[in-house]
Amino acid sequence: MLKIKLLLLLSVLCNVMYAQTGNAENIQKSVLKDYTYQELEKKFYETKPEDVKSKRDIAKYYLQKAKEEKDEVQIAEAYVMLHVDESLPNALKYLDSLQSVTKKSKEIYYPARTYLLRGNLYFKSDNLQAALNNYVLGLKYAKEKGYKRQIAMAEISIAYLKNYIGKHAETAKTLRYYLYNADYMNESEHTILRLNLADAYIEINKMDSAYMLIQDGLLAAKKSKNVYAYHQNLGLLGYYNLKLKKYNVAIENLLKCKNFFFTASYPSKRNQNYTLLNLGKAYAGLQESNKAIENFAKIDSMVLKTNYVFPELREVYTYLIDHYKEKKDKEKQLYYVERFLDVDKVLDTRFRYISRELPRRYDTPNLLQEKESIIKELKQRKIFLYIVLGILVIVLLLFVNFYFKYKNAEKKYRKIAQDLIQSVNENKKEPEAEIQKEEVVPDIVLPQNTENTENVENTEDKTTKTISEDITQSILKELDIFEKKEQFLNRGITLGTLAKKIKTNSKYLSEVINTHKGKNFAAYLNDLRIDYAISRLARDRRFRSYKIPFIAEELGYNNEQAFTLAFKKRTGTPLSIYLKEIEKTVNETKDNPDVV
């Protein structure tokens, strides 16, 4: 009877507990119903890692909600949340479901996301071969979609594997690039990057760079009150001091880390093992072998429980074997030899696989891609070079063409100038008796102006009926005086002022000049001035030595440009070439007096 009562009591208690549990679950669900997907996701990731049940409940409700609403994007997010903090087999099942759901997804981060998450799972469980395979596939798909963040995550994860096989310099190069060039990473990701880069720097003896990063990490952790990150950086500082053989300082740092990592609610096998490893090495450095053995032996016991192995274990077992060999403790010596062989076999398998597959599956494709990029760049450079060469050839041809045109034009100009000088010299030979007291402008032969002088014999027939012969002859006589007295050199002469001066009107004067001189008044005035300049420049060395603006002013021009343009238009050769030819003729006459 008593037994029956006890059984009934137990049954009632179980029902009460079940009811309470059911009520708790119902309360939980009713509370979660009020949350959006974004709020549920935020609540999930803000929940402490040790509160596994709460995280799992949120993720399960998230999945239920997404399935009810047939929202495939949110179903995928639920599977991502569900795989967190699960055992490897269960986590992989959730990721398989994720891969199935996102098979036809058009989101930029699939399928790379699935492979990268799977790679992280394998990395945490020390299956580095599977981790590498998934990271490489994740990188491949991330590159196909051009998603920078996933490319960075894959590259960084592969860099950690390179660090594992001793390629610390290559690891440091990758991590340094992403630490300072990936602004799309969050604070937590930057913290991990900084830690691993500092570790790689210590391995390649860039101690100053490592120390700066560690100090930055400590300050950032203090500021954000992240105790876990603080002790991670403190542990790295201990390793830094160990490398500098500051054993006492290293021990002080590492003992604080030991107290934290072995009492933390969310333990890390890596942090625990490496803290013990560096403590043991620091004690060994101080010749305190008993304390070194204590830490190394604890590492071995942890390896037996967790199967977590890492390359530095070889140092641990070598020290243990040598210690017990020296103590002549054959049993422990044999035990650690066997343990060493077991661990070494695992490490050797991993090392050989990673050492072989990394170059084949990552380095070689990267090199081939780099090769293609270089070839493409060289082709572009070659095309650019051909374009530049083509432009240079065209420019050169244009220059050569211009040069020959210039030379031909110069030759032509020099011939015209020489003819002008010869014409002046021929007029100079006339008898002095025929030369008037006032200098008369000589008749200079200008080939280009023959059009203006043709039919001169018929000028009498050109006089218009509107002007009487007497007036015409009177105007011509005044013009002759105007020319002989070189009044055309005066500045400011106009058709009106000249007509007034010779006591006629502008219309008559213009018509007589047009008819008898074969040109308008402006051309008539310019021609007189230029003909005078031709003659005087050739004969008067002093006048020739004046600067061009002064010569222009002497000839009645307002400025140098007006004079030089008028000279070229009248003679067909530039003033500069005419002056050079005069100097050349003068020099030749000095060198050879017989030449006239």
Side-chain angles (χ1 to χ4, degrees):
M1 189 70 179
L2 183 61
K3 287 182 178 179
I4 293 170
K5 285 183 178 180
L6 288 170
L7 286 169
L8 286 170
L9 182 61
L10 184 62
S11 176
V12 170
L13 287 171
C14 287
N15 287 331
V16 169
M17 288 176 67
Y18 178 78
Q20 286 176 345
T21 305
N23 288 335
E25 287 179 1
N26 288 333
I27 292 167
Q28 177 73 7
K29 284 183 180 180
S30 65
V31 170
L32 293 175
K33 277 182 182 179
D34 297 331
Y35 287 94
T36 63
Y37 286 118
Q38 290 78 13
E39 288 169 339
L40 285 168
E41 188 176 0
K42 184 180 179 183
K43 189 172 178 63
F44 176 85
Y45 288 109
E46 285 180 352
T47 302
K48 292 180 180 179
E50 59 269 22
D51 194 357
V52 177
K53 188 179 182 305
S54 294
K55 290 173 77 76
R56 196 169 293 164
D57 288 341
I58 296 167
K60 284 181 178 178
Y61 180 76
Y62 195 108
L63 179 63
Q64 180 188 331
K65 178 181 170 70
K67 282 185 174 179
E68 286 173 359
E69 296 177 5
K70 295 180 181 179
D71 190 333
E72 289 189 354
V73 174
Q74 302 305 335
I75 291 171
E77 287 303 320
Y79 285 130
V80 172
M81 288 190 284
L82 282 165
H83 101 284
V84 176
D85 300 324
E86 273 287 355
S87 63
L88 181 64
N90 288 338
L92 288 172
K93 285 179 184 177
Y94 285 127
L95 291 184
D96 288 341
S97 299
L98 173 66
Q99 190 167 23
S100 177
V101 169
T102 59
K103 194 171 183 180
K104 295 180 181 179
S105 175
K106 294 181 180 178
E107 297 290 344
I108 192 172
Y109 40 83
Y110 288 114
R113 187 184 188 188
T114 309
Y115 287 108
L116 294 177
L117 290 173
R118 196 178 280 132
N120 290 339
L121 276 179
Y122 283 122
F123 190 88
K124 286 178 184 176
S125 63
D126 301 322
N127 188 343
L128 302 186
Q129 295 95 320
L132 174 62
N133 293 335
N134 281 279
Y135 286 145
V136 169
L137 285 170
L139 179 61
K140 174 192 170 187
Y141 290 115
K143 283 184 174 180
E144 284 179 5
K145 295 287 185 74
Y147 192 18
K148 284 185 178 181
R149 179 179 168 77
Q150 286 185 331
I151 292 170
M153 293 303 178
E155 295 273 9
I156 290 165
S157 299
I158 291 169
Y160 293 153
L161 292 175
K162 284 191 173 186
N163 205 42
Y164 180 84
I165 60 172
K167 294 187 175 183
H168 306 300
E170 291 182 31
T171 301
K173 183 180 178 182
T174 301
L175 299 186
R176 180 173 58 246
Y177 174 79
Y178 284 113
L179 181 63
Y180 299 112
N181 294 284
D183 53 2
Y184 40 78
M185 289 190 179
N186 59 40
E187 186 180 344
S188 175
E189 289 162 345
H190 268 109
T191 298
I192 296 167
L193 259 179
R194 187 168 51 234
L195 275 166
N196 284 280
L197 178 57
D199 179 62
Y201 276 150
I202 293 171
E203 296 294 348
I204 58 177
N205 290 314
K206 287 193 172 182
M207 306 304 282
D208 290 341
S209 299
Y211 183 75
M212 287 176 65
L213 288 173
I214 293 167
Q215 290 302 316
D216 288 345
L218 288 168
L219 288 171
K222 277 184 179 179
K223 189 176 180 181
S224 62
K225 296 180 181 179
N226 188 334
V227 182
Y228 194 85
Y230 178 83
H231 283 88
Q232 281 183 305
N233 281 281
L234 189 63
L236 203 54
L237 183 62
Y239 182 44
Y240 165 84
N241 286 312
L242 172 65
K243 279 283 187 176
L244 294 177
K245 297 184 179 179
K246 296 178 180 179
Y247 300 121
N248 287 315
V249 181
I251 290 167
E252 185 183 344
N253 300 144
L254 294 164
L255 282 174
K256 290 178 183 177
C257 294
K258 182 180 178 181
N259 291 333
F260 176 79
F261 288 128
F262 281 90
T263 57
S265 54
Y266 190 64
S268 163
K269 292 182 289 184
R270 188 185 187 283
N271 288 327
Q272 290 176 347
N273 277 279
Y274 275 96
T275 300
L276 292 175
L277 171 70
N278 292 327
L279 260 177
K281 289 167 78 173
Y283 283 125
L286 292 173
Q287 304 299 316
E288 295 183 26
S289 57
N290 290 333
K291 290 185 177 180
I293 290 296
E294 181 186 337
N295 283 283
F296 290 154
K298 192 168 183 177
I299 290 173
D300 175 61
S301 65
M302 289 173 64
V303 171
L304 281 169
K305 289 178 185 178
T306 62
N307 290 319
Y308 179 78
V309 296
F310 49 97
E312 291 85 353
L313 277 175
R314 289 189 175 97
E315 299 177 54
V316 172
Y317 288 111
T318 301
Y319 188 90
L320 288 166
I321 291 165
D322 290 343
H323 174 77
Y324 287 110
K325 182 179 181 181
E326 189 179 333
K327 295 287 184 181
K328 296 181 181 180
D329 188 337
K330 297 293 182 182
E331 289 183 7
K332 286 193 174 180
Q333 183 184 348
L334 178 61
Y335 169 78
Y336 285 118
V337 166
E338 289 174 346
R339 292 289 299 126
F340 176 80
L341 291 173
D342 290 340
V343 169
D344 190 60
K345 190 184 293 183
V346 175
L347 289 171
D348 188 55
T349 302
R350 286 185 187 177
F351 185 89
R352 281 190 287 108
Y353 182 87
I354 300 298
S355 297
R356 183 182 72 247
E357 293 299 310
L358 256 177
R360 187 178 73 82
R361 302 200 60 192
Y362 175 73
D363 292 339
T364 301
N366 272 5
L367 286 171
L368 289 172
Q369 187 177 355
E370 191 176 342
K371 178 185 173 183
E372 288 177 10
S373 177
I374 291 168
I375 290 170
K376 187 178 178 181
E377 187 179 344
L378 288 173
K379 281 182 179 178
Q380 289 175 343
R381 283 187 184 179
K382 196 176 284 186
I383 292 167
F384 178 74
L385 182 63
Y386 288 151
I387 292 170
V388 171
L389 285 174
I391 292 170
L392 287 174
V393 168
I394 292 168
V395 170
L396 182 62
L397 290 173
L398 289 173
F399 176 78
V400 169
N401 184 50
F402 172 79
Y403 176 79
F404 281 110
K405 278 186 177 180
Y406 172 77
K407 283 295 179 184
N408 289 334
E410 187 182 34
K411 188 176 179 181
K412 176 185 171 185
Y413 293 150
R414 286 171 57 195
K415 179 68 171 64
I416 292 170
Q418 289 165 4
D419 290 344
L420 288 173
I421 294 165
Q422 186 178 355
S423 176
V424 171
N425 290 333
E426 284 174 357
N427 287 324
K428 194 176 178 182
K429 293 178 185 177
E430 294 176 359
E432 291 182 6
E434 296 179 9
I435 300 175
Q436 300 294 326
K437 195 169 185 179
E438 300 85 11
E439 185 179 354
V440 180
V441 178
D443 295 328
I444 298 167
V445 180
L446 297 169
Q448 69 277 20
N449 288 328
T450 53
E451 296 176 1
N452 298 331
T453 57
E454 63 183 7
N455 300 324
V456 175
E457 294 175 0
N458 301 320
T459 54
E460 292 180 4
D461 298 331
K462 292 181 183 177
T463 306
T464 61
K465 296 177 183 179
T466 58
I467 307 174
S468 67
E469 183 64 25
D470 291 340
I471 293 172
T472 299
Q473 290 302 320
S474 174
I475 291 171
L476 287 172
K477 186 177 179 182
E478 289 296 330
L479 287 176
D480 189 48
I481 294 167
F482 174 74
E483 291 173 13
K484 288 179 179 179
K485 290 187 175 182
E486 300 172 358
Q487 292 173 354
F488 53 78
L489 297 178
N490 298 331
R491 293 181 69 179
I493 298 173
T494 63
L495 182 67
T497 59
L498 183 58
K500 189 176 181 181
K501 183 178 179 62
I502 62 177
K503 297 177 182 179
T504 186
N505 61 55
S506 300
K507 184 179 179 183
Y508 285 179
L509 177 60
S510 177
E511 193 164 337
V512 169
I513 291 172
N514 278 310
T515 303
H516 291 269
K517 303 296 181 179
K519 61 195 82 172
N520 61 31
F521 175 74
Y524 167 67
L525 189 64
N526 261 324
D527 288 352
L528 287 173
R529 288 172 173 175
I530 298 304
D531 291 348
Y532 175 84
I534 292 167
S535 177
R536 189 169 176 189
L537 286 169
R539 295 178 175 181
D540 190 342
R541 182 179 178 183
R542 186 177 177 185
F543 185 66
R544 197 164 58 240
S545 67
Y546 294 154
K547 289 184 178 180
I548 304 299
F550 182 81
I551 295 172
E553 189 177 351
E554 283 282 300
L555 296 173
Y557 289 97
N558 292 325
N559 53 64
E560 176 185 350
Q561 188 179 13
F563 169 48
T564 54
L565 287 173
F567 189 92
K568 173 104 183 267
K569 185 178 179 181
R570 172 67 172 154
T571 63
T573 186
L575 176 63
S576 57
I577 290 180
Y578 180 65
L579 291 171
K580 283 180 183 177
E581 288 301 313
I582 292 170
E583 292 299 326
K584 186 178 176 183
T585 304
V586 170
N587 291 333
E588 285 176 356
T589 305
K590 285 180 181 178
D591 294 338
N592 192 358
D594 295 332
V595 177
V596 179

